[in-house]
């Protein structure tokens, strides 16, 4: 799994390298600058007119060192310093003194239309306040230029922890960061501002235990860590999932969740739904066992019998929020003792009656989109989007649940503080039924790998994102339907990785 760092974690790792290991800060700066220069030189950028914009801190020192490394290779660049000279960091002052020996061409402004490449080294990951004054003016001018833009560490103006724009920010084509990617590179809108993100190692050790709250991203290779499929197994060996979904004449959500689970390799799926959905579901998914109820009622005995049959449950997609659905959901909470994925109307019912949380005595994962999270927390969409990681974490801890907060970038928070930012997916996922497929994938992986001590929910989110990418490509990089996502589960190749 890839580690992702917060600004504080990176600062502490940097300080550890300097103070405990004894690596001089100027050596780290030199390696950072070399990483930026090498990445630029490896690309087909026009280097005929380069501008390096340096802020007053160590990020500016990185930029000044890049200008000097270019000068050593006979590549000239203009350097623009922002900020008050008296507030320049010690490392930046040292880099400026060195740069003077190479005939620094310091400029006081950006000449419109002159530059083919602009290197942004104004602010680093420590920025926490809105950009204003001269710096804001320079950033706006940079964005107006028809030049390639390369940001050092993070685009200036982006919050390294939330990805939010602090007033204004550089829109980079390439960002070269150090040691590990930062949360702000992965979360929107910072992800869009960062362009291509390249991580360069510069000798800073990242201690996996240096924080109580650890942040990761699941990678394709992590699927190799899943248990190998038992060649001597049978349909019971690979898990049985109960899907409680679909209200009268609304069977699509139940189908998508159940089918997605089957395509993840589980042995059996059982659907509890309204009797009006039986004929359609029997045709769409003849592999499923189907139990139905009339007028929203299924007896406790029948419900408990289905629960006892299963290894896990998905509940909520298309279930409805009327009185009968609410009664069914509440009785499920009382009777169930299996791990459950709660989605869609299950979340809406929880939002309508928060006391229902007290009835939950089993492991849960909730998968709210932003609108559902608004109803669950009472927060606005803007508040949630601007601080998704912390809000998901707080929710997970409050309710002792795994919170899969769905958005353009989905975050998964565990009550033990571990958090995951999803780095797969694309806009092809933004279609009706996509969330039902995700709940089925997570439910399917949960029962198939029920004894596996891995963050299965985060694995499911990553697989779902890869399904979107695969389906989107087949659709000519256009939108994909939920049915396309089902077909793409095997097309991603990730479940095949888990078989070896």
């Amino acid at each position: 799994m890839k580690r992702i760092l917060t600004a504080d974690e990176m600062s502490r790792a940097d300080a550890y390298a300097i103070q405990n290991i004894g690596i001089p800060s100027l050596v780290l700066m030199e390696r950072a600058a070399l990483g930026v220069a090498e990445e630029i030189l490896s690309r087909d950028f026009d280097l005929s007119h380069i501008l390096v914009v340096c802020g007053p801190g160590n990020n500016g020192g990185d930029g000044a060192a890049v200008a000097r490394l270019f000068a050593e290779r006979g590549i000239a660049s203009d350097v623009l310093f922002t900020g008050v000279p008296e507030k320049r960091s010690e490392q930046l002052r040292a880099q400026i003194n060195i740069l003077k020996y190479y005939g620094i061409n310091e400029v006081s402004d950006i000449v419109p239309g002159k530059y083919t490449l602009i290197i942004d080294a104004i602010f680093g990951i420590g920025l926490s306040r809105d950009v204003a004054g001269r710096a804001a003016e320079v950033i706006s001018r940079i964005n107006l230029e028809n030049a390639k833009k390369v940001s050092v560490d993070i685009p200036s103006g982006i919050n390294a922890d939330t990805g939010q724009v602090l007033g204004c920010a550089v829109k980079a084509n390439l960002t070269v960061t150090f040691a590990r990617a930062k949360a702000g590179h992965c979360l929107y809108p910072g992800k869009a501002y960062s362009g291509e993100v390249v991580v360069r190692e510069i000798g800073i050790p990242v201690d996996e235990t240096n924080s109580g709250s650890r942040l990761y991203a699941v990678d394709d290779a992590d699927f190799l860590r899943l248990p190998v499929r038992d060649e001597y197994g049978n349909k019971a060996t690979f898990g049985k999932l109960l899907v409680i979904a679909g209200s009268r004449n609304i069977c699509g959500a139940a189908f998508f969740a159940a089918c997605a689970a089957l395509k993840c390799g589980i042995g059996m799926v059982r659907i509890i739904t309204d009797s009006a959905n039986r004929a359609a579901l029997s045709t769409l998914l003849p592999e499923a066992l189907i139990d139905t109820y009339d007028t929203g009622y299924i007896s406790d005995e029948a419900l408990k019998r289905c629960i006892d049959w299963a290894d896990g449950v998905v509940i909520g997609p298309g279930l409805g929020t009327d009185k009968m659905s609410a009664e069914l959901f509440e009785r499920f909470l009382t009777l169930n003792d299996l791990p459950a994925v709660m989605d869609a109307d299950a979340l809406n019912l929880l939002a309508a009656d928060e006391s229902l949380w007290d009835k939950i005595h089993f492991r849960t994962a909730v998968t709210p989109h932003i609108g559902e999270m608004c109803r669950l927390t009472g927060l606005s969409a803007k508040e949630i989007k601007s601080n998704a990681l912390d809000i998901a974490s707080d929710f997970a801890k409050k309710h002792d649940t795994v919170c899969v907060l769905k958005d353009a970038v989905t975050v998964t928070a565990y009550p033990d503080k571990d958090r995951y930012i999803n780095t797969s997916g694309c806009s092809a996922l933004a279609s009706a039924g996509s969330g039902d497929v995700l709940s089925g994938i997570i439910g399917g992986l949960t029962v198939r790998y029920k004894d596996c001590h891995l963050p299965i929910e985060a694995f499911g989110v990553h697989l779902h994102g890869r399904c979107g990418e695969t389906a989107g490509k087949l659709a000519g990089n256009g939108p994909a339907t939920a049915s396309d996502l089902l077909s793409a589960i095997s097309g991603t190749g990730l479940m095949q990785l888990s078989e070896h």
Side-chain angles (χ1 to χ4, degrees):
M1 250 164 282
K2 292 182 178 179
R3 182 78 187 277
I4 298 173
L5 298 183
T6 63
D8 180 65
E9 287 171 335
M10 186 66 227
S11 295
R12 284 190 280 124
D14 188 69
Y16 183 87
I18 296 169
Q19 297 167 12
N20 294 68
I21 299 178
I23 304 174
S25 59
L26 282 175
V27 171
L28 294 176
M29 185 170 284
E30 185 74 9
R31 293 194 63 180
L34 183 61
V36 174
E38 287 178 346
E39 287 297 333
I40 291 173
L41 293 171
S42 71
R43 286 162 169 76
D44 189 25
F45 289 150
D46 184 346
L47 306 181
S48 57
H49 294 88
I50 301 173
L51 174 67
V52 184
V53 186
C54 301
N58 287 348
N59 194 251
D62 293 341
V66 171
R68 188 242 310 154
L69 290 171
F70 279 159
E72 290 176 358
R73 291 165 171 78
I75 303 171
S77 58
D78 293 347
V79 182
L80 171 62
F81 293 104
T82 66
V84 180
E86 290 75 19
K87 294 185 177 181
R88 290 172 179 168
S89 71
E90 180 181 345
Q91 288 80 8
L92 172 59
R93 292 175 189 274
Q95 293 293 348
I96 291 174
N97 287 334
I98 298 170
L99 192 56
K100 287 177 180 177
Y101 287 96
Y102 290 84
I104 176 176
N105 185 30
E106 184 176 348
V107 297
S108 59
D109 207 348
I110 299 174
V111 178
K114 175 181 177 181
Y115 298 105
T116 57
L117 175 68
I118 299 177
I119 299 172
D120 155 40
I122 305 172
F123 299 117
I125 61 172
L127 184 69
S128 59
R129 66 184 187 280
D130 280 359
V131 180
R134 172 63 173 163
E137 177 187 334
V138 169
I139 288 174
S140 297
R141 294 283 297 279
I142 289 173
N143 287 337
L144 289 173
E145 291 300 301
N146 187 31
K148 294 291 185 183
K149 290 105 180 175
V150 177
S151 287
V152 177
D153 214 2
I154 197 164
S156 294
I158 294 296
N159 185 301
D161 290 341
T162 68
Q164 295 301 297
V165 176
L166 298 173
C168 62
V170 171
K171 192 72 179 291
N173 302 100
L174 169 68
T175 298
V176 183
T177 194
F178 314 114
R180 298 289 188 275
K182 316 307 182 293
H185 296 133
C186 307
L187 298 167
Y188 283 106
K191 183 176 181 178
Y193 277 76
S194 297
E196 180 189 357
V197 178
V198 174
V199 179
R200 297 286 300 215
E201 292 290 350
I202 61 172
I204 297 177
V206 177
D207 183 2
E208 294 291 336
T209 64
N210 71 350
S211 173
S213 178
R214 297 170 298 276
L215 186 58
Y216 300 95
V218 172
D219 192 61
D220 286 359
D222 291 318
F223 279 73
L224 290 167
R225 301 170 62 189
L226 293 172
V228 175
R229 190 175 180 88
D230 184 359
E231 292 299 326
Y232 293 94
N234 55 54
K235 60 188 178 183
T237 305
F238 303 119
K240 296 177 287 185
L241 181 69
L242 177 63
V243 176
I244 305 175
S247 52
R248 193 164 188 81
N249 296 319
I250 300 176
C251 68
F255 163 72
F256 289 127
C259 188
L262 283 172
K263 286 181 175 290
C264 287
I266 69 169
M268 303 176 72
V269 68
R270 187 178 217 116
I271 302 172
I272 294 179
T273 190
D274 190 281
S275 58
N277 298 330
R278 177 182 286 278
L281 286 172
S282 295
T283 302
L284 287 168
L285 196 62
E287 297 90 344
L289 300 171
I290 301 175
D291 291 81
T292 62
Y293 52 79
D294 291 310
T295 64
Y297 184 78
I298 183 171
S299 69
D300 282 356
E301 293 77 13
L303 181 56
K304 188 66 169 72
R305 187 167 59 250
C306 291
I307 291 171
D308 290 343
W309 169 89
D311 298 305
V313 185
V314 169
I315 184 168
L319 186 65
T321 56
D322 58 17
K323 183 179 179 181
M324 293 296 184
S325 299
E327 285 183 5
L328 171 59
F329 181 61
E330 186 170 356
R331 287 190 294 118
F332 165 78
L333 296 182
T334 302
L335 295 170
N336 182 59
D337 57 0
L338 299 173
V341 179
M342 299 194 290
D343 184 31
D345 286 328
L347 305 178
N348 293 327
L349 290 167
L350 284 168
D353 184 0
E354 192 167 342
S355 69
L356 292 175
W357 285 102
D358 296 331
K359 295 181 179 293
I360 298 174
H361 54 278
F362 45 86
R363 189 181 191 278
T364 61
V366 296
T367 58
H369 57 55
I370 295 295
E372 290 161 346
M373 196 64 170
C374 290
R375 292 188 283 275
L376 286 165
T377 61
L379 299 171
S380 69
K382 183 177 180 180
E383 289 174 305
I384 294 170
K385 282 176 170 285
S386 65
N387 198 15
L389 273 171
D390 286 345
I391 288 171
S393 292
D394 291 345
F395 191 88
K397 283 178 272 191
K398 177 181 178 181
H399 295 292
D400 192 27
T401 188
V402 181
C403 181
V404 179
L405 179 52
K406 299 181 292 193
D407 199 13
V409 172
T410 295
V411 300
T412 302
Y414 289 79
D416 66 357
K417 296 183 180 180
D418 277 3
R419 304 178 294 176
Y420 294 80
I421 296 178
N422 188 49
T423 56
S424 66
C426 60
S427 63
L429 291 168
S431 64
S434 176
D436 304 322
V437 173
L438 175 61
S439 65
I441 288 174
I442 293 175
L445 295 181
T446 298
V447 301
R448 181 170 173 186
Y449 303 110
K450 54 183 177 290
D451 298 321
C452 178
H453 301 291
L454 287 171
I456 288 299
E457 294 82 6
F459 273 63
V461 173
H462 182 80
L463 172 59
H464 183 252
R466 286 286 185 249
C467 290
E469 294 171 8
T470 301
K473 289 177 182 177
L474 292 173
N477 294 320
T481 66
S483 296
D484 295 331
L485 299 179
L486 292 176
S487 301
I489 291 176
S490 60
T492 64
L494 293 183
M495 295 313 300
Q496 289 85 334
L497 282 179
S498 70
E499 309 301 349
H500 295 86

